[in-house]
Amino acid sequence: MKAFRKITLTLFVLCTVHTVSAQYGNGYGNNGYGNDAGYGNNRMNQTSQMDQESQHESEKAIPVEVTVAKIMDEMTPEINLDELQQIAISNVLKESLNNQGRILKQSSNQEDQLENFKILAETTDRKILEFLNKDQKEKYLIFKEESKNPKKSKSKKKQK
C-alpha cells in the first residue's frame, strides 16, 4: 500500500512539474524559448503593447501648426490683423511653441523652467507687439488678459 502511494505521488509531482514547465514556455515543440505559447510569448506581447502605447502617445501630440492656427483664429478678429501680420505673428508663435518644447525637455529644475518660460513669454510678446499698430497693441493686451482668464471673458461676452 505504501509503494502504491509513493508511485502515485511521484506520478502526480512529475505531471505537475511538466504542466508548469509547459506554461512557462518550456513545453514540446518550441525549443524552450517560449515561441509557442505561455510565458515567453506573453513577454513579447507586453513589449509590443508598450511600443504601441508609446506610439499612440506620440501620435496624440498636437502639431505646432494646429495650435498656432487655433490661436490665430481667435486672435485675428479680435485684433483686426491683416494677412502680413497674421503670417509674421504665426511665425513668432511657432518659434515660441518650439522653444517651449525645448524648455520642457531640458533636465533643469522647475524654477529654472518657470524662469525660462517667463523670459520666453516676454520675448514673444515683444516680437508680436512690433508687428502691431497702436490700436492693435491695446487690443492685443486685452486679448492676452482675456486668454489668461477665459471664464471671466466668456461671461462678459455673454452679458453683452
Side-chain angles (χ1 to χ4, degrees):
M1 196 62 154
K2 288 183 183 181
F4 180 72
R5 280 189 179 171
K6 285 183 181 180
I7 293 173
T8 307
L9 182 61
T10 305
L11 286 174
F12 177 74
V13 171
L14 286 175
C15 290
T16 305
V17 170
H18 178 70
T19 304
V20 170
S21 177
Q23 286 180 353
Y24 286 97
N26 297 323
Y28 296 110
N30 62 11
N31 299 328
Y33 291 105
N35 296 336
D36 210 20
Y39 183 74
N41 196 24
N42 190 20
R43 226 180 330 175
M44 291 178 2
N45 285 341
Q46 288 175 349
T47 305
S48 65
Q49 285 175 351
M50 286 190 291
D51 290 342
Q52 289 174 353
E53 288 175 9
S54 65
Q55 287 175 351
H56 290 300
E57 288 176 10
S58 64
E59 290 172 3
K60 291 179 184 177
I62 300 172
V64 173
E65 291 79 14
V66 173
T67 305
V68 170
K70 287 182 181 179
I71 294 170
M72 293 306 295
D73 287 344
E74 293 176 12
M75 186 187 298
T76 300
E78 293 283 329
I79 303 175
N80 299 325
L81 299 174
D82 62 26
E83 289 183 32
L84 186 60
Q85 289 173 322
Q86 288 178 15
I87 294 168
I89 292 173
S90 66
N91 287 334
V92 170
L93 291 174
K94 286 177 188 175
E95 178 185 347
S96 176
L97 288 171
N98 287 331
N99 287 336
Q100 285 178 12
R102 286 189 202 105
I103 291 171
L104 285 173
K105 290 179 183 176
Q106 289 176 351
S107 59
S108 58
N109 64 17
Q110 198 170 17
E111 292 175 6
D112 290 342
Q113 284 184 341
L114 287 174
E115 186 63 31
N116 288 336
F117 279 125
K118 287 179 185 177
I119 293 169
L120 180 62
E122 291 171 3
T123 305
T124 303
D125 285 341
R126 192 173 349 104
K127 288 179 181 179
I128 290 174
L129 289 171
E130 288 176 4
F131 296 112
L132 304 177
N133 62 36
K134 186 178 178 181
D135 293 335
Q136 288 174 325
K137 287 179 182 179
E138 292 172 8
K139 291 178 182 179
Y140 174 73
L141 295 175
I142 293 169
F143 173 79
K144 190 175 135 185
E145 285 300 315
E146 287 179 352
S147 65
K148 287 181 183 178
N149 304 317
K151 292 180 181 178
K152 291 180 182 179
S153 64
K154 287 181 182 178
S155 63
K156 286 181 183 178
K157 288 180 181 179
K158 288 181 181 177
Q159 290 174 357
K160 290 180 182 179

